[in-house]
Each structure stands twice: as C-alpha cells, then as structure tokens.
Amino acid sequence: MARLLMAGVVSAALFTLGIPATAAVAAPPTCLGLPATLTGAGTLIGTPGSDVIVGSPGADSIDGGGGDDVICGLGGDDRLIGGLGDDRIDGGEGGDTLRGDVSVESGDAEGGGDDVLYGGGGDDELVGDAQTGSGDAEGGGDDVLYGGDGSDFLVGDSETDADGDARGGGDDRLHGGDGDDAHLTGDSVALGGDAEGGGRDLLEGGDGDDGLLGDSAAPFRGSATGAGDDVLRCGPGAADSAVGDSEGVDAVHGDGGDDLIDLGADGGLFALGDHNIGDPTGGRATGAGDDRILGGAADELLVGDSSVGDSSRTAAGDDVIEGRGGDDQLFGDDVDFDGDTAVGTAGGRDLLRAGAGDDALFAGPADDLLDGGAQTDSCDGQAGDADHAVRCEVVTDVP
C-alpha cells in the first residue's frame, strides 16, 4: 500500500511543478500481430523478400511479390495477392478478392505456396494458389482458407476463368463460415477448360446453405480429374449439397477417393459419394471410392457413387449410406443425370440404412444390405443375387 501511495504523491508533485506531459504516440500499424513494413492506400507492391503490408479503410490493390508475406486489407473491397511464397492474407471487412500466390489477367499463372487466407466480413472470393483470367493455372500448395461471414467462393488450389486448364491437388482446409457459400472446391477449377487435382482436403460449410465439392471442377465444359480422400461437413443449412470427388461436362475421372460426407443434423438437398456430370448430354464418370454418407432431418437424395450423362461405362465402390431422418432416396451405386434412376452395370457391396422417415432404397447391381428403419419404407434389391433387406415394408427383388 505504501508504494502505491508514494506513486500518487510523486505524480501529484510533478503535476504541481508544471512538468509537461508526454504526448501520446500512435501505435504503429500491425497485421496479424506483426509490425507493418509497408503501409498506404490504393496500389501497394511488396518487395522480393518477406513483407508486412497494411492497406487502408478503402479499396486497395496489394501484391506481396516474393517472400513469405503478411497482408491486411482492412476495410473496403480489396484485391490482395500473396505472390510466390508462404503467405498470410486477411481481407477484413468488405467484398474482397484474395489469391494465395500468382494472379494475372491473361497468360499462364503458376505458384503453389502453403498459404493462409482470411476473407473476413463480406462476400469474398478466395483462391489458395494461382489464378488467371485466361490461360493455364497451376499450383497445389497445402492451403487454409477461411471465408468468414458472407456468401463466399473458395477454391483450395488453382483457377482459370476462361480458356485454359487448371491443375493442383494440395491438401487443403476450407472453412466457409457463416453465410450461403455456394462453391467450396477442394482442388482446382477451370471455367473454360479441364481441371485436375485430387488432394486430401477438409471442407466445412458452416452456417448457411453451402455447396461442397471435394476435388476439381470443370462446370461449363471440359473434363475434371481428381479423387482424393476428403472430408466434407456441410453444417447447419436447409439446402446444402455435397459431391465427394470431381465435376465435369465431357467426362470425369478419378479412382479411390474414400470420402466422408456429412450433410449435418438438419440435412440438405443431396450428396454424391463420387463424381458428377453437370450436363444431361454429358459424358461418363469413371472411378469410384468407398464412401460414407450421412444425411439429416431433411428429405434428401443420397447416392453412393456418381451421377452420369453417359451410363455405358460406370464404376462403383463399397459405400455406407445413412439417411438418419426425413423421407429419403438412397442409391447404392450410380444414377442418371436427374438422380431418380439407377444406371450402369457396376455395383459395390453397399450398406444402406435409411433411418426414420418414409424412405426408398435402391441397392444397385451387387449384393447389398438394406435397412429401412422406422416408418414405411420400400427396398429394391435390383440386380443383386444375394441382397438382404430388414425393416422394409415393401420389398422388391430381394431373395
């Protein structure tokens, strides 16, 4: 107590003597806990080395250049590019565009650092590695992406937005955060060409209606290749969807992706264990993994393998599908584009557990176990020779 009183006495004495108080000094800007080496507004370019760059409350364009950079955009609709190296980027508030590595308007882009990207508040677009407006993009670092609040677009590896191919298959972690995140893609995206990449990715949609794709996507034309062992957790949301492997139009390839897909306790719209052909006149989906698919309380379409345009050649894995709740349709193997008819001759040895609800179970070509669960269910063994059905009120083609 005496020391505290002495301090008060000294302070009072200094005040009485009229010694001028020291002016407060503003703390230097920091980014993710590090002091800034470059600050400003508008266009900022880093050095070939490792920089700590802090933008302004407005809309900034920042390129870290080479080195392991740390970049903070603060407010505004920012464009933040890490450049080559293992970078950390925080968009802050606003609708931001974040690129972990190289980004160009046209021509080829290559870069695959292990980057961490934070979108922050707003509707953000995050690409973990290289991106080009027109050309080939390549890069597959092990990246971590956080969308934050808002409706976000997340790509784990590389992206090309027009003519060109995208390649990259790093082991990425994508977290959508709150908001309707329509596109979380674990590996690469080609909007006008072929996409390739099949890393071991973790995708978490968070709150909102989310769309999760485990590997690579060529959604408008071209083919996609990739089938990593991915974990897809949609989280809360009434209109979630998930595809375990890749999506294309001309064809989709990739074998052995053993995925875990969880639509969440409230369920979603649909889940495919393997691939998706995105056009009714599209091609074949080849390759399959042994997947586990968990539905929820909603009325869902749950498919163990792929949705195809051309069913002349198919593939099937040994899948486990659990409806858990709702009036669900469960298909053990492949389905047509509309998702309402089993197709192909490939069949895995599947386990279909419908759970509560009035469900319809379709085994597929191989020998499967069908469990209708509670309420009124129909179980169709289809082409299997030794299917087994339990707790099914209506049974078709089961010995």
Side-chain angles (χ1 to χ4, degrees):
M1 183 63 70
R3 293 177 67 86
L4 292 175
L5 289 173
M6 181 61 71
V9 171
V10 172
S11 298
L14 291 174
F15 181 80
T16 303
L17 292 172
I19 297 176
T22 302
V25 178
T30 62
C31 178
L32 300 177
L34 298 176
T37 61
L38 176 62
T39 64
T43 300
L44 303 174
I45 305 296
T47 71
S50 299
D51 307 298
V52 180
I53 306 175
V54 178
S56 72
D60 302 307
S61 177
I62 303 176
D63 190 331
D68 301 336
D69 304 306
V70 180
I71 301 173
C72 286
L74 302 183
D77 299 340
D78 304 308
R79 180 176 177 81
L80 310 177
I81 302 169
L84 296 177
D86 301 334
D87 308 303
R88 290 188 291 159
I89 306 176
D90 187 348
E93 295 298 318
D96 304 308
T97 300
L98 277 62
R99 305 288 186 257
D101 292 293
V102 175
S103 179
V104 297
E105 292 185 5
S106 62
D108 297 342
E110 183 175 354
D114 300 336
D115 307 302
V116 181
L117 279 57
Y118 303 91
D123 300 339
D124 307 305
E125 183 181 319
L126 283 64
V127 176
D129 294 300
Q131 180 268 335
T132 178
S134 177
D136 295 337
E138 184 171 358
D142 300 336
D143 306 303
V144 182
L145 281 60
Y146 298 92
D149 294 346
S151 300
D152 305 308
F153 181 97
L154 277 64
V155 177
D157 294 305
S158 295
E159 176 183 317
T160 176
D161 296 334
D163 294 336
D165 302 330
R167 292 179 294 274
D171 299 337
D172 307 303
R173 290 184 288 157
L174 280 61
H175 307 271
D178 293 347
D180 298 337
D181 307 312
H183 302 282
L184 275 71
T185 303
D187 294 297
S188 295
V189 172
L191 301 184
D194 299 334
E196 181 178 351
R200 296 170 62 94
D201 306 306
L202 167 64
L203 283 65
E204 295 185 332
D207 289 346
D209 298 334
D210 308 308
L212 279 59
L213 180 76
D215 295 297
S216 294
F220 300 120
R221 65 183 179 91
S223 63
T225 302
D229 298 337
D230 307 306
V231 176
L232 286 67
R233 298 190 180 104
C234 292
D240 293 320
S241 63
V243 177
D245 295 319
S246 294
E247 179 179 66
V249 174
D250 295 341
V252 186
H253 312 283
D255 200 10
D258 300 335
D259 307 306
L260 169 62
I261 301 175
D262 187 347
L263 291 178
D266 60 349
L269 296 178
F270 71 86
L272 304 177
D274 295 310
H275 303 298
N276 184 45
I277 292 292
D279 189 293
T281 63
R284 300 183 299 191
T286 57
D290 301 334
D291 307 302
R292 184 181 181 195
I293 302 174
L294 305 175
D299 302 340
E300 298 143 346
L301 170 65
L302 307 176
V303 179
D305 295 305
S306 299
S307 173
V308 304
D310 179 355
S311 61
S312 61
R313 178 184 174 190
T314 55
D318 301 334
D319 307 304
V320 176
I321 306 176
E322 301 182 39
R324 295 199 290 189
D327 300 339
D328 305 311
Q329 294 187 75
L330 280 64
F331 288 86
D333 299 306
D334 299 285
V335 296
D336 63 359
F337 174 83
D338 293 324
D340 56 13
T341 303
V343 297
T345 58
R349 297 179 63 88
D350 307 305
L351 171 59
L352 279 59
R353 293 194 184 104
D358 299 335
D359 309 299
L361 289 69
F362 303 92
D367 300 331
D368 309 294
L369 173 60
L370 289 71
D371 182 351
Q375 296 177 278
T376 304
D377 308 297
S378 64
C379 297
D380 189 343
Q382 298 190 303
D385 296 324
D387 296 306
H388 184 65
V390 297
R391 297 194 291 178
C392 301
E393 284 66 38
V394 179
V395 178
T396 305
D397 290 333
V398 175

